[in-house]
Amino acid sequence: MTSATRGPTRRDVVIYAATSLDGYLAPQDGSVAWLEPFGSGPDLGFDHFLDTVGSLVTGRTTFEQVRTFGAWPYGSRPTAVLTRRSGVTDLPPGARTDDGSDLRSLVAALQEESGSGITWLLGGGLLHQSFLAEGLVDEIWTHIMPVLLGDGIPVFPAAYPPIELHLVESTAHENGVVLVRYRVESANRDKDV
C-alpha cells in the first residue's frame, strides 16, 4: 500500500507529565503541592511544549483539579474530558466530554478541529493506560522530580502490552529535575486514522 492510498495520518499523541522518582503523578489524594518546591526553579520547557500543543485529552479528575486553579490555562484548544459520569460543568471554549469508547476516532476529530500541533494527554495514570493499551502514544516526556512519594497515583498503571522506547532527549536541571523524552517504537503503534 502506498502512502497515497493510506489516507490521512494523525499527528503525535504525547504524554507529558511530572513524576516522582518512584513513578507517581501525585499522592493518593491527587494533590500537586509536592511539586511546589520546583515551581520557582529553572525553566523546564513547559511554555515551549505548550506552544506545540494543538489539542488535549484529559481525565475528569485532572480536568476538575485544573479548574480549581483559576482560569483554564490552555485557551480554546480542542479538548476532550474523558468521563463515563454526567455532571461535568464549567467546560471552557473548545472542550467537550467523551466516554472514551473510541479513542482513535476521538484523536482524529480533535486533530481535525485543531488543524495543527500534537495531542497532549494531560493526566492521569488511567488515561495514560488507556492510550498505551490502544497503541496511540507516540512520545512520553517525563520530568522526574527528585522526590520519593512512597505511594500514590502511578504514572503508568498496569496493564498494557510491552512497549519499546527510544531515548530522544535527557536533560538534567540544576534543581535535580531530569527530563527524559522517549519515542514509542512498539509495533502496535500506527499512525493511520
Side-chain angles (χ1 to χ4, degrees), residues 49-146:
F49 173 80
L50 190 57
D51 287 343
T52 70
V53 173
S55 58
L56 296 94
V57 180
T58 184
R60 181 177 181 157
T61 301
T62 301
F63 171 77
E64 290 177 344
Q65 184 175 50
V66 170
R67 294 304 278 163
T68 68
F69 301 154
W72 181 247
Y74 308 118
S76 60
R77 289 174 176 89
T79 299
V81 180
L82 295 189
T83 185
R84 291 196 172 97
R85 296 179 287 139
S86 61
V88 175
T89 60
D90 201 20
L91 288 169
R96 63 183 169 280
T97 61
D98 190 276
D99 68 4
S101 60
D102 186 349
L103 297 177
R104 190 170 301 276
S105 293
L106 174 62
V107 168
L110 289 169
Q111 291 188 344
E112 184 176 336
E113 288 173 40
S114 71
S116 65
I118 65 167
T119 297
W120 176 18
L121 302 182
L122 175 59
L126 294 177
L127 178 78
H128 299 162
Q129 175 195 48
S130 298
F131 276 79
L132 287 167
E134 291 291 320
L136 291 173
V137 176
D138 299 289
E139 287 197 359
I140 300 170
W141 297 41
T142 303
H143 285 90
I144 302 170
M145 304 302 187

